[in-house]
């Protein structure tokens, strides 16, 4: 385990349901909070905590441009030599592939200066073919699915 | 003769036995209860007088399966089953993975105090150790990954830290496993001259040097256990050779040695068709694959016998020669050339013909040449002939008369390679009836002897009919022939059950062989590990201790039971035994006799000094339980150590509250035991006790200067328990010893919190010393001492209270002031302690405080008046000892304050105080209640200020409830009497206040209290007048709630008497203004009236209800009619009235005939009321009749007919949905079959006419799916139909609710634990359609769809 005692952050409260959200005549745009809500519940591969609780992802690090179909996410590994950074990035990408309309172009990157192998990992995450190949690997897919599954018991 | 003397049961049984033997084809008589093993055991029991136990033949007991009575229970070792490949593959890795996962989850928050064994325990099996290395190998891999970045300066220990210190120790072997692997890699080039230590250098040399030999020693020890059959020439050390591959083979599979044993057991029935490859698949781990063959080299010849490949290998090798010889001399030799000269090897004289015939060609064999050729040929074709030969050989050996030379001594194949020859020899040795150790041990296994079998079998039958001799035979056979520790769990349990039965039925006899029995018992239960068995053992143990003289074996008995302390047990998920059960029973064992005290107390002291919190807690709990039993002398002997342990647990800040609490209770018991020690035990005990209390005082005294309030509280409690139980002299010593310190502390300490703590100690001390007052001379002396000190104590307390009152009002100063007052109250109310002047002074002070005094300003700043409980407590104490003085305090002190004081707040407080004091003796309480009632009536009629009226009403309400809460029935009667007499005036006084206002609510509260008073006790005559009166007043809207308060509290009997008058008025009121309130009252009333089971003459009420329903349905609007019908249905359903059937029929008619009109739709929606729990009206709290089976009846009479009509009638479907929505899950499962098709029919997406039904249908489906049993019943029937419909509901054309519910349902289907094989065919379609829903314009729908889609991705 890379980081045996990570700092644990508080969870964000659930997004309140406004009357506008229930009004069928109004269309809701995709925004950063919505995308953040998708990825904040991803489980950490090592700890029984979510990425939000570990501070790996934050709403501020999510940028959404709905009209331009662009989404950009930066995540922060808990320590600079975190060996699970690639897996976390892959999990975020897979979760968004499964949860967002295909019209969006999603970029997942490590926040600048937060990891020793930042460039390599960013390159790996940006490479569609490598992501696709990784998902062909049943073992890796099982690990990713474990991250995306229901929260484990503490 | 024996049969004649047997009991009647036996005689009947005996004749039955004879009959069944004579007529074997007839069915067995019923007297045996059941067929099979149990009946056989009964037979045995019945035959007992005839046969006698020890000589009973084995066949009498042999069951159909050749076992005795019970089968081998499935154990965790199931996964080790060999011979079934699937089992190995599936269970073994799964098991390991599970532990690993648990470990990984827990290890993050791994508490430092827990040991690794806690996590890795898997039941109580040795197999834990097997799993452990595997788990560690896993860690090793991670470790290896990380170690690339290993900084040179860090030591290996740093990297091996894994949550806690203990884990480092755990990891070491793992670390060594890694080293071992490296070592193996390197050992190929291992130079012979190098020592093992050289290779084991890894980072820190010292570390490894220490640990590695330890590891090897461990293996060696394990191995030594297994190596009993190992040839004597080889020592375990031989196996541990370094520098060769043999070493590794041995070290590694510590685990495999274990498997070997299992393997040996199973391999007897090894199917010949399986190949060795099958056996070697052992998970998919490389480690195992590497090791297993290695293990097989050592394992068994049996395996080779069964293995085709190995057989082929043996027999296709070049056989160089065959030797046949007896003991030492060679009698026959054949060279590889194939040529032999049989004449040159004459057989010895005693050589049996039947064997020599094989070689001489006289016994059906064509001669040695042919035979030898068969052996020496390489061709596999000859294998069949070889087998034939071997069979013959075996047969002839078996049937031969007289002494037969052993086959192993006779034949030896010599092959070209020497080791192959050895293998072959080995093979044959096992093939023949061999003298090898394992089978011999099996034969000698005492479990197989008849008497033991019978003894074990006897656990199924009662021992009542056993003769004493037979019981002794059973007991002897179990304790002497059996080595219980070698049996499996079920067998051991059987043994314990035998003990149980013997103790139950043959106790008197067993007592005659007291020492033998105790010795046998101790020997039997020794080293038991299985929790299920331990439950029995722990139950038996106290019985044995109580009934037998265990003096001679006391230490053995103690050791055999104390080894479990503290109980360390983590129940498995499916286990039925809990830790609490074990702890409870085990502590009962340890505290069963005073004899254990001298052994147990040192052990407890050791555990109390432990770092493990759980161990300390359990030790304190045991001490609490055992202290009353153990001799006081033992406790006194360890008094100093015990006090030290208690000090650590009670008087330190860093102790958890739970531990402190447990320690305090244990301390109280210990002190009580010590104080109870016999005074005639001698001067030693007396002096020891004095010394103990002196030490206690010494321990407590420094705590008076402590800052931690918890420690001070603990000190107070400790002193309280000590003073409470100590004898008069010690008590006086304690009080006089610590009181000056407390008073000095009160004067010295500056902060209020510390003073509060000291006051708390003082109060506890005084309470304890005064409460256990006895008129001995020493106690009188103590009291006199306290009286003398009272002046100074009171002075100090007054001073403190005054100073605290003068300070700015902070919570601390208020607390201090109140603590002072409470302590003074306790002292002044004590009879004979304070003088009259002192009491008068305190009462004056108290009243001044109550009246605001000099701290009048503070009252407003600090909300709440906590002085009231103190005054109340003081008044109660005073009333208990001196009623006159209490009455004078109330009448002369409090009443003027309550009525005449200028401050409203004071008046209100005093009024409440008076209300609270209404549970005092009647001489005080009755005038008080009358006064409060009078005050209320005056205030109501003279229209005083609203707050004043309200405060008086509140006080009256409180007084009514307090009086009713008292156990005195006369007080209750008085309350009811005064209320009934004053009720009209009361209502008249408060009638004109605005409904819903504060005053009306307060008045309502009073009447509610009265209503509760009316119905709380016996039914009194006043109820009728009250009910009549309120029924007349019920037309007034302001007092509807008063009516309600009465009606809700009415008992069925009263309701039944007045129902005819009340029901029409309520129905007409509901018809006129549609008040839901009146409707609920109506329902409540008919529910209470129509309890047909108790009163058959209910037809008038029935007619009223029916006519009311008809009138309302005909005349009122649809909403009121539907609600009325629904409430009536519910009331009747719960009461179990037959009228429900009529009304249900009417409801169905309305739904069927009205079709889609408003009444039908409203009624359908209202029907959800029927099965919904009602918390206000129709519940047991409101005295409603709630009969059984209401849900079943409702569903049977309503839901089923509705579902039958649901295809055509939309209202019927809606009604069915309403009912099903609220039905209990266990009931609705039965209707799934008919419910689902109806729902599917109307959920068609193309049918726009059904758009209104979509939302309720989806809601119902979601409700059903949320219940696991309903989902399991529903999914297989409708999955294929349901999924396309749900996916269609995701279209943007549907409303938002439907889209969301569909998505949620889809998610539930994916996560509901349905078989993946059922869901997988639909997965591509569902994922694709949900993908489209991700672009929904509404965010909520998108979110639900995304969750559902993710859940579906995870399937499979």
């Amino acid at each position: 385990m890379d980081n045996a005692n990570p700092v644990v952050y508080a969870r964000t409260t659930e997004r309140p349901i406004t009357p506008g959200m229930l009004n069928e005549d109004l269309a809701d745009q995709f925004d950063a909070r919505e995308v953040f809500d998708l990825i904040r519940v991803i489980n950490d591969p090592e700890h029984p905590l979510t990425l939000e609780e570990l501070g790996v992802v934050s709403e501020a690090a999510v940028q959404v441009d709905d009209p331009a179909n662009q989404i950009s996410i930066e995540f922060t590994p808990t320590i600079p030599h975190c060996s699970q950074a690639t897996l976390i990035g892959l999990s975020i990408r897979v979760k968004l592939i499964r949860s967002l309309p295909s019209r969006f172009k999603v970029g997942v990157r490590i926040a600048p200066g937060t990891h020793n192998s930042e460039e390599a990992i960013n390159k790996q995450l940006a490479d569609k073919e490598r992501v696709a190949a990784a998902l062909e690997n049943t073992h890796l897919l099982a690990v990713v699915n474990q991250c995306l599954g229901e929260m484990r018991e503490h | 003769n024996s049969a004649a003397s047997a009991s009647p049961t036996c005689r009947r049984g005996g004749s039955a036995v004879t009959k069944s033997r004579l007529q074997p084809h007839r069915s067995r008589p019923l007297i045996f209860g059941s067929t099979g093993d149990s009946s056989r055991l009964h037979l045995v029991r019945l035959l007992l007088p005839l046969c006698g136990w020890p000589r009973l033949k084995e066949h009498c007991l042999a069951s159909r399966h050749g076992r005795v009575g019970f089968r081998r229970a499935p154990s965790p070792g199931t996964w080790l089953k060999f011979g079934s490949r699937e089992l190995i593959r599936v269970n073994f890795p799964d098991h390991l993975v599970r532990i690993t996962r648990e470990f990984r989850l827990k290890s993050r928050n791994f508490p430092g105090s827990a040991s690794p064994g806690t996590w890795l325990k898997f039941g109580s099996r040795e197999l834990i150790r097997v799993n452990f290395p595997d788990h560690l190998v896993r860690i090793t891999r991670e470790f290896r990954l990380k170690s690339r970045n290993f900084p040179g300066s860090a030591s290996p220990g740093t990297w091996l830290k894994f949550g806690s210190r203990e884990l480092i120790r755990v990891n070491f072997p793992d670390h060594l496993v890694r080293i071992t692997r490296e070592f193996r890699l390197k050992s190929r080039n291992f130079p012979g001259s190098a020592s093992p230590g050289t290779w084991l250098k890894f980072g820190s040399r010292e570390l490894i040097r220490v640990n590695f030999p330890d590891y090897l020693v461990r293996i060696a020890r394990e191995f030594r256990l297994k190596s009993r059959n190992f040839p004597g020439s080889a020592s375990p050390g031989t196996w541990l050779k370094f520098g060769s591959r043999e070493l590794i083979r041995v070290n590694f599979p510590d685990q495999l040695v274990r498997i070997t044993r299992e393997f040996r057991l199973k391999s007897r029935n090894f199917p010949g068709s399986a190949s060795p490859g099958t056996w070697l698949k052992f998970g998919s781990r490389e480690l195992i694959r590497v090791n297993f063959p290695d293990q097989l080299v050592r394992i068994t010849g049996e395996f080779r016998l069964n293995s085709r490949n190995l057989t082929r290998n043996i027999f296709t090798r070049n056989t160089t020669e065959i030797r046949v010889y007896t003991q030492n001399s060679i009698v026959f030799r054949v060279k590889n050339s194939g040529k032999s000269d049989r004449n040159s090897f004459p057989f010895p004289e005693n050589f049996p013909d039947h064997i020599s015939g094989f070689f001489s060609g006289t016994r059906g064999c064509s001669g040695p040449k042919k035979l030898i050729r068969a052996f020496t040929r390489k061709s596999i074709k000859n294998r069949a002939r070889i087998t034939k030969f071997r069979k013959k050989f075996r047969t002839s050996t078996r049937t031969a008369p007289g002494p037969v030379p052993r086959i192993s001594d006779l034949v030896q194949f010599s092959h070209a390679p020497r080791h192959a020859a050895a293998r072959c020899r080995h093979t044959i040795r096992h093939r023949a009836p061999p003298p090898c150790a394992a089978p011999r041990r099996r034969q000698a296994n005492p479990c197989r002897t008849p008497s033991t079998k019978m003894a074990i079998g006897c656990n199924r039958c009662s021992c009542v009919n056993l003769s004493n001799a037979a019981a002794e035979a059973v007991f002897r056979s179990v304790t002497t022939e059996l080595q219980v520790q070698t049996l499996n769990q079920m067998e051991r349990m059987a043994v314990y059950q035998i003990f149980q039965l013997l103790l139950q039925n043959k106790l008197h006899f067993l007592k005659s062989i007291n020492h033998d029995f105790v010795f046998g018992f101790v020997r039997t239960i020794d080293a038991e590990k299985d929790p299920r068995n331990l439950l029995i053992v722990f139950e038996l143990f106290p019985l044995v201790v109580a009934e037998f003289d265990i003096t001679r074996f006391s230490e053995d008995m103690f050791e055999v039971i104390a080894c479990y302390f503290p109980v360390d047990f983590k129940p498995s998920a499916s286990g039925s035994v809990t830790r609490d059960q074990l702890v409870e029973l085990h502590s009962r064992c340890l505290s069963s006799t005073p004899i254990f005290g001298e052994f147990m107390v040192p052990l407890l002291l050791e555990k109390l000094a432990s770092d493990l919190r759980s161990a300390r807690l359990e030790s304190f709990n045991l001490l609490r339980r055992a202290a009353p039993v153990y001799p006081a002398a033992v406790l006194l002997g360890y008094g100093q150590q015990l006090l030290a342990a208690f000090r650590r647990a009670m008087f330190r800040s860093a102790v958890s509250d739970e531990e402190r609490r447990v320690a305090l209770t244990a301390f109280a018991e210990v002190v009580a035991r010590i104080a109870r020690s016999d005074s005639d035990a001698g001067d030693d005990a007396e002096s020891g006790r004095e010394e103990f209390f002196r030490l206690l005082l010494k321990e407590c005294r420094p705590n008076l200067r402590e800052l931690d309030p918890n420690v001070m509280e603990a000190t107070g409690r400790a002193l309280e328990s000590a003073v409470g139980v100590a004898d008069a002299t010690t008590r006086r010593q304690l009080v006089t010893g610590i009181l000056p310190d407390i008073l000095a502390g009160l004067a010295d300490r500056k902060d209020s919190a510390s003073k509060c703590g000291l006051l708390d100690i003082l109060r506890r001390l005084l309470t304890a010393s005064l409460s256990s007052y006895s008129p001995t001379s020493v106690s009188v002396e103590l009291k006199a001492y306290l009286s003398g000190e009272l002046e100074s104590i009171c002075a100090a307390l007054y001073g403190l209270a005054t100073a605290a009152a003068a300070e700015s009002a902070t919570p601390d100063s208020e607390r201090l002031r109140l603590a002072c007052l409470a302590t003074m109250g306790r002292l002044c109310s004590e009879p004979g302690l304070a003088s009259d002047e002192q009491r008068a002074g305190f009462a004056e002070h108290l009243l001044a405080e109550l009246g605001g005094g000099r701290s009048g300003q503070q009252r407003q700043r600090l909300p709440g008046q906590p002085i009231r409980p103190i005054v109340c407590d003081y008044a109660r104490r005073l009333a208990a000892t001196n009623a006159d003085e209490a009455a004078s305090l109330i009448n002369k002190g409090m009443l003027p304050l309550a009525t005449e004081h200028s401050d409203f707040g004071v008046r209100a407080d005093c009024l409440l105080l008076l209300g609270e004091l209404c549970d005092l003796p009647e001489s005080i309480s009755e005038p008080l209640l009358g006064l409060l009632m009078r005050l209320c009536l005056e205030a109501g009629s003279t229209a005083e200020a609203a707050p004043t009226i309200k405060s008086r009403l509140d006080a009256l309400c409180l007084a009514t409830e307090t009086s009713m809460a008292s156990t005195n029935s006369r007080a209750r009667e008085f309350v009811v009497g005064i209320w009934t007499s004053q009720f009209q005036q009361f209502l008249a006084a408060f009638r004109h206040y605005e409904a819903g206002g504060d005053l009306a609510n307060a008045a309502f509260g009073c009447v509610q209290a009265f209503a509760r008073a009316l119905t709380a006790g016996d039914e009194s005559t006043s109820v009728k007048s009250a009910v009549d009166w309120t029924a007349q007043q019920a037309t007034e809207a302001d007092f509807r709630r008063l009516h309600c308060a009465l009606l809700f509290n009415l008992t069925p009997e009263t309701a039944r008497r007045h129902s005819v008058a009340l029901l029409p008025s309520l129905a007409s009121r509901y018809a006129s203004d549609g008040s839901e309130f009146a409707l609920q009252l109506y329902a409540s009333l008919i529910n209470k009236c129509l309890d047909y089971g108790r009163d058959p003459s209910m037809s008038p009420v029935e007619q009223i209800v029916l006519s009311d329903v008809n009138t309302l349905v005909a005349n009122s609007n649809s909403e009121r009619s539907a609600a009325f019908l629904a409430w009536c249905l519910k009331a009747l359903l719960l009461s179990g009235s037959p009228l429900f059937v009529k009304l249900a029929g009417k409801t169905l008619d309305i739904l069927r005939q009205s079709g889609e009109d408003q009444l039908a739709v409203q009624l359908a929606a209202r029907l959800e009321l029927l099965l919904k729990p009602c918390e206000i009206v129709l519940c047991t709290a409101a005295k409603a009749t709630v009969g059984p089976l209401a849900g079943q009846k409702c569903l049977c009479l309503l839901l089923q007919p509705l579902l039958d009509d649901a295809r055509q009638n939309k209202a019927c479907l809606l009604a069915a949905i309403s009912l099903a929505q609220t039905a209990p899950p266990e009931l609705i499962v039965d209707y799934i079959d008919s419910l689902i098709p109806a729902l599917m029919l109307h959920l068609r997406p193309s049918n726009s006419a059904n758009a209104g039904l979509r939302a309720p249908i989806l809601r119902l489906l979601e409700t059903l799916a949320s219940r696991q049993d309903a989902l399991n019943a529903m999914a297989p029937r409708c999955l294929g139909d349901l999924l396309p419909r749900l996916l269609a509901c995701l279209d943007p054309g549907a409303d938002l609710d439907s889209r969301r519910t569909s998505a949620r349902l889809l998610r539930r289907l994916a996560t509901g634990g349905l078989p993946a094989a059922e869901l997988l065919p639909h997965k591509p379609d569902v994922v694709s359609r949900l993908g489209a829903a991700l672009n929904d314009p509404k965010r909520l729908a998108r979110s639900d769809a995304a969750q559902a889609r993710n859940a579906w991705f995870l399937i499979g």
Side-chain angles (χ1 to χ4, degrees), chain B residues 156-167:
Chain B
T158 317
W159 285 94
L160 290 172
K161 264 182 192 168
F162 195 74
S164 78
R165 188 167 54 87
E166 281 77 8
L167 272 179

Side-chain angles (χ1 to χ4, degrees), chain B residues 322-326 331-332 351 355 359 375 389 393 406-414 424-425 428-429:
Chain B
I322 295 178
R323 296 175 191 167
V324 178
Y325 56 99
T326 58
V331 295
F332 194 80
F351 201 80
I355 292 182
F359 302 97
F375 275 100
F389 160 72
F393 207 36
R406 290 189 299 230
I407 302 299
S408 54
D409 296 335
L410 287 175
V411 180
Q412 175 181 351
F413 298 93
S414 295
C424 188
R425 190 164 58 238
I428 292 187
R429 191 172 282 153

Side-chain angles (χ1 to χ4, degrees), chain B residues 1078-1288:
Chain B
L1079 178 55
Q1080 289 179 8
L1081 278 178
Y1082 188 91
S1084 165
L1085 215 52
I1086 62 172
N1087 174 274
K1088 289 175 185 175
C1089 292
L1090 290 183
D1091 189 2
Y1092 69 100
R1094 292 168 65 183
D1095 192 352
S1097 58
M1098 279 296 113
S1099 53
V1101 178
E1102 256 183 40
Q1103 287 167 3
I1104 292 172
V1105 174
L1106 271 178
S1107 72
D1108 284 346
V1109 167
N1110 288 333
T1111 316
L1112 264 160
V1113 170
N1115 301 330
S1116 281
N1117 63 21
S1118 58
E1119 193 181 341
R1120 284 185 195 171
S1121 308
F1124 192 79
L1125 200 49
W1127 273 101
C1128 287
L1129 275 171
K1130 184 175 175 72
L1132 296 172
L1133 173 68
L1134 290 179
S1135 73
S1137 163
L1139 191 58
F1140 174 74
V1141 182
K1142 288 183 191 170
L1143 277 193
K1146 186 171 180 62
T1147 309
L1148 287 174
D1149 289 344
I1150 292 173
L1151 288 170
R1152 284 172 186 147
Q1153 290 163 10
S1154 308
E1156 295 185 17
D1157 78 354
Q1158 202 59 29
L1159 176 61
V1161 173
Q1162 292 277 353
L1163 187 56
R1166 283 281 186 170
L1167 281 185
E1168 71 172 4
L1169 182 73
L1170 258 63
L1171 293 176
K1172 198 187 267 186
C1174 189
E1175 291 173 358
I1176 305 169
V1177 191
L1178 295 172
C1179 58
T1180 46
K1183 297 190 173 57
T1185 314
V1186 181
L1189 300 177
Q1192 284 93 325
K1193 192 187 287 182
C1194 174
L1195 293 185
C1196 179
L1197 287 175
L1198 276 175
L1199 182 60
Q1200 195 57 53
L1202 286 173
L1203 287 176
D1204 294 342
D1205 294 337
R1207 287 177 177 274
Q1208 297 84 30
N1209 192 325
K1210 198 194 280 186
C1212 286
L1213 180 72
L1214 276 175
I1217 290 174
S1218 296
L1219 277 176
Q1221 190 82 31
T1222 49
E1226 58 274 11
L1227 299 185
I1228 201 65
V1229 173
D1230 297 338
Y1231 295 88
I1232 290 272
D1233 279 343
S1234 42
L1235 185 61
I1236 295 297
L1239 297 181
M1240 290 297 114
L1241 186 73
H1242 290 85
L1243 193 62
R1244 279 178 305 192
S1246 57
N1247 192 351
S1248 58
N1250 288 337
L1253 288 173
R1254 187 191 289 146
I1257 290 176
L1258 286 173
R1259 269 201 301 277
L1260 176 59
L1261 285 171
E1262 192 184 13
T1263 311
L1264 292 176
S1266 67
R1267 303 159 180 167
Q1268 191 61 47
D1269 48 353
L1271 177 66
N1272 291 340
M1274 175 177 95
R1277 292 177 178 82
C1278 68
L1279 199 62
D1281 291 339
L1282 181 61
L1283 283 175
R1285 286 172 166 80
L1286 291 179
L1287 292 172

Side-chain angles (χ1 to χ4, degrees), chain A residues 72-100:
Chain A
S72 164
I73 289 166
E74 287 181 352
F75 67 97
T76 313
T78 53
I79 44 170
H81 55 272
C82 177
S83 63
Q84 307 288 339
T86 319
L87 181 59
I88 292 173
L90 188 62
S91 301
I92 294 175
R93 180 167 272 284
V94 172
K95 175 84 179 187
L96 293 182
I97 287 173
R98 292 177 182 178
S99 311
L100 287 174

Side-chain angles (χ1 to χ4, degrees), chain A residues 9-12 36 39-40 42 50-57:
Chain A
Y9 298 86
R11 290 186 198 176
T12 320
F36 175 63
I39 58 173
R40 73 192 179 104
I42 297 174
T50 61
L51 294 188
E52 181 195 17
E53 286 168 319
L54 290 173
V56 176
V57 293

Side-chain angles (χ1 to χ4, degrees), chain A residues 1-2 4-6 15 17 20-24 26-31 34 38 46-49 83 95 97-101 103 145 148-150 152-153, chain B residues 101 104-109 142 146 149 162-163 1292 1294-1297 1299-1300 1307 1311 1331 1334-1340 1342-1343 1346-1347 1349-1351 1353-1354:
Chain A
M1 197 174 283
D2 287 341
N5 291 306
R15 185 174 190 153
I17 296 177
M21 289 163 80
L22 298 172
N23 187 349
E24 294 246 33
L26 300 176
D28 299 328
Q29 295 280 315
F30 277 89
D31 60 8
E34 184 175 352
L38 291 173
E46 286 182 335
H47 302 288
L49 297 167
S83 63
K95 175 84 179 187
I97 287 173
R98 292 177 182 178
S99 311
L100 287 174
R103 65 187 166 93
N145 279 341
L148 302 187
E150 297 285 326
R152 292 165 294 196
E153 294 279 324
Chain B
R101 190 186 307 148
R104 197 177 287 161
L105 283 174
K106 304 281 167 61
S107 64
R108 200 182 57 79
N109 301 320
E142 287 179 5
K146 311 293 183 296
N149 301 323
F162 195 74
D1295 58 320
L1296 178 60
D1297 271 348
R1299 300 204 298 271
R1300 293 189 67 192
R1307 181 177 175 221
T1311 57
L1334 295 178
N1335 215 2
D1336 195 285
K1338 296 308 293 177
R1339 184 176 293 131
L1340 292 172
R1342 288 199 297 259
S1343 166
Q1347 287 183 12
R1349 193 161 187 256
N1350 274 288
F1353 264 110
L1354 296 180

